[in-house]
Amino acid sequence: MNLLSGSIRRVAIVGGTHGNELTGIYTIENLNRCPHPIDGYSFECMTLLANPKAIAANRRYIDRDLNRCFGNADLSNLDLTNYEDILAKEIAAKLGPKDRPRADVIIDLHTSTSNMGLTILLSSKHPFNLRLAAYLSTLHPDVRVCCGIQCNQDAPMLRSLSPLGCTIEVGAIAQGILNADLFDKTQMLVRETLNYIDAENQSKPLPIPTGLTVYQTLSSVDYPRDSSGKIEAMIHPKLQFQDYQPLQPGDPMFWTFTGESILYQGEYTVFPIFINEAAYYEKGIAMSLTEKLVLQP
Amino acid sequence: MNLLSGSIRRVAIVGGTHGNELTGIYTIENLNRCPHPIDGYSFECMTLLANPKAIAANRRYIDRDLNRCFGNADLSNLDLTNYEDILAKEIAAKLGPKDRPRADVIIDLHTSTSNMGLTILLSSKHPFNLRLAAYLSTLHPDVRVCCGIQCNQDAPMLRSLSPLGCTIEVGAIAQGILNADLFDKTQMLVRETLNYIDAENQSKPLPIPTGLTVYQTLSSVDYPRDSSGKIEAMIHPKLQFQDYQPLQPGDPMFWTFTGESILYQGEYTVFPIFINEAAYYEKGIAMSLTEKLVLQP
């Protein structure tokens, strides 16, 4: 995808993909107020509350995690008929399809119980995304830029409907609450994202640094479990809330219920993220391990 | 109720009254391990996972908050037939009835998204409870002792099945996660509670301070809402996580989505608790206001 001046015609801002992550939901409602804070740009700006039933129930999802329903195989599988599978197809019809999306850029707003600060999870390593992330990373020291294992449109997340855009993942915050500080920072990131796109759209790009630190996910680590799948240890107190900090071979990783440490057995230093995310207990993820790269935006 | 030496025959430790508060659930499972950490006392120690369906679903409750189902009128109302109403009657049959409980002491383990530290919520102001709380308050600076508006057996909480005992409410912690530090502190409080009861039961009471600070709940405050009930402001960033700190007339209390402060309009200093508890959004409680008393245990 090559971008020409003025080529971003439509930006979608999405909240409530997970119904108990209130920050994104209230951000969307705030953007929908009169007077419209998102008028006056060189592109159309649309908002979406992605999972209305889950929002009403104050739950992450009703039948299945909506943010894992956007894989190509699932989107084209008409036999999948539960609530989120049908919803994903409706959203793909509005914002997609993946090969020619109606929304040129998708920004999906999330929160985490992990200490993710102000994380920008890139939809792909497209130069547009790297430039946008480089700009955002100048705004606040808590901004960090990540790529998932699948940092492209093959991923099953909502953001994968377009190659351009990102998930904004703020934390640490419990599910089902608002935190004024993180709410305000999310507003700032949305506003600055739109400002950046607008400036680039008008061939007046805002200044960005020459190097961009990106945390590239390598793998995920599950909790130690017994043969029945029951958790046998917690995140070690020394690792709790230490997202993005180096974890070195021999560092404590887990803490058993009887008070024993389990150490990191890897061979080199990694940077864990999504440490102790509530929604990932059921996915078998205690944390994701990343490596630190410097890319040229 | 007068207590004589050796008169505590049975102590019940309860977890999972709310199915997404993992600390209590895993504490109970830890107490049930072999070798039994709760053997060898001068009383029988029983454990209970109160809401098995909610625990399996990782949700606070299925149909209705179990910890509001223990009012006398509800317990005797056979027309209430949803899951938690029936469950409450079963639990009352095991631990109650209120006027002659099988469990002499009930300790109910909870967590909060509010910064509640290590809160002891008294089942009543019975001298036994004050002595126990006074002992626990010597163990860690985060221990604080509270009374609800109904600090007696008329309350609808599970703990009200006996006049003796308390709820242990630790936080801040998100729903659906374990935090090793708060888990270990919960273990410590349970162990020391049993130690205290055992010593008193054997007429060798452990030393306690002469004065006990108690935070007495006066009222609760809801979020500012519009005519449809939608929240119009968040907890003010200066008040977030400031549970138990003084709130003075004119201090900021809420923060609107458009960035305006709403100030505390009361006439005297109060001490807010349960600030921004996730489960209380639906109950219309943004925080509870308490006053600070000193009682003689």
Side-chain angles (χ1 to χ4, degrees), chain B residues 69 71-80 89:
Chain B
C69 292
N72 278 316
D74 284 0
L75 284 177
S76 59
N77 183 347
L78 299 178
D79 292 335
L80 298 177
K89 292 172 179 70

Side-chain angles (χ1 to χ4, degrees), chain A residues 22 26 29-30 33 58-59 113 172-181 183-184 187 230-237 240-241 255-259 276-279 281, chain B residues 22 26 29-30 33 58-59 113 172-181 183-184 187 230-237 240-241 255-259 276-279 281:
Chain A
L22 303 193
Y26 280 83
E29 292 185 346
N30 214 29
R33 274 172 213 274
N58 191 26
R59 285 166 60 187
T113 64
I173 180 171
Q175 298 167 342
I177 70 165
L178 288 163
N179 173 305
D181 178 51
F183 178 84
D184 284 354
Q187 312 304 295
K230 211 177 245 307
I231 283 177
E232 291 191 306
M234 304 167 277
I235 297 294
H236 196 283
Q240 178 66 33
F241 294 129
W255 178 250
T256 72
F257 297 113
T258 49
N276 210 353
E277 160 55 42
Y281 278 63
Chain B
L22 303 193
Y26 280 82
E29 292 186 345
N30 214 30
R33 275 170 211 275
N58 191 26
R59 285 165 58 184
T113 64
I173 180 172
Q175 298 168 341
I177 70 166
L178 288 162
N179 173 306
D181 178 53
F183 178 84
D184 284 355
Q187 313 303 296
K230 211 176 245 307
I231 283 177
E232 291 190 306
M234 305 167 276
I235 298 294
H236 196 282
Q240 177 65 33
F241 295 129
W255 179 249
T256 71
F257 297 113
T258 49
N276 211 353
E277 160 55 42
Y281 278 62

Side-chain angles (χ1 to χ4, degrees), chain A residues 9 38 46 71 104 125 139 149 154 162 164 183 189 212 260 263 283 293 297:
Chain A
R9 291 160 304 156
I38 49 178
M46 60 184 288
D104 298 308
K125 287 179 183 154
L139 301 176
I149 293 179
D154 293 337
S162 170
L164 306 187
F183 178 84
L189 289 173
L212 172 67
E260 284 155 45
L263 308 182
K283 293 188 202 293
L293 311 173

Side-chain angles (χ1 to χ4, degrees), chain B residues 51-64:
Chain B
N51 195 333
K53 270 199 194 178
I55 293 169
N58 191 26
R59 285 165 58 184
R60 184 173 176 92
Y61 57 82
I62 301 299
D63 292 323
R64 184 188 166 196

Side-chain angles (χ1 to χ4, degrees), chain B residues 136-168:
Chain B
L136 295 176
S137 68
T138 64
L139 301 175
H140 195 284
D142 288 350
V143 173
R144 291 204 177 81
V145 181
C146 285
C147 287
I149 292 179
Q150 282 181 299
C151 189
N152 57 46
Q153 287 191 274
D154 293 336
M157 286 80 178
L158 186 148
R159 65 175 181 261
S160 71
L161 290 172
S162 170
L164 306 186
C166 60
T167 294
I168 295 178

Side-chain angles (χ1 to χ4, degrees), chain A residues 277-293:
Chain A
E277 160 55 42
Y280 289 1
Y281 278 63
E282 67 175 20
K283 293 188 202 293
I285 300 175
M287 70 196 75
S288 292
L289 305 182
T290 73
E291 64 179 350
K292 219 167 160 176
L293 311 173

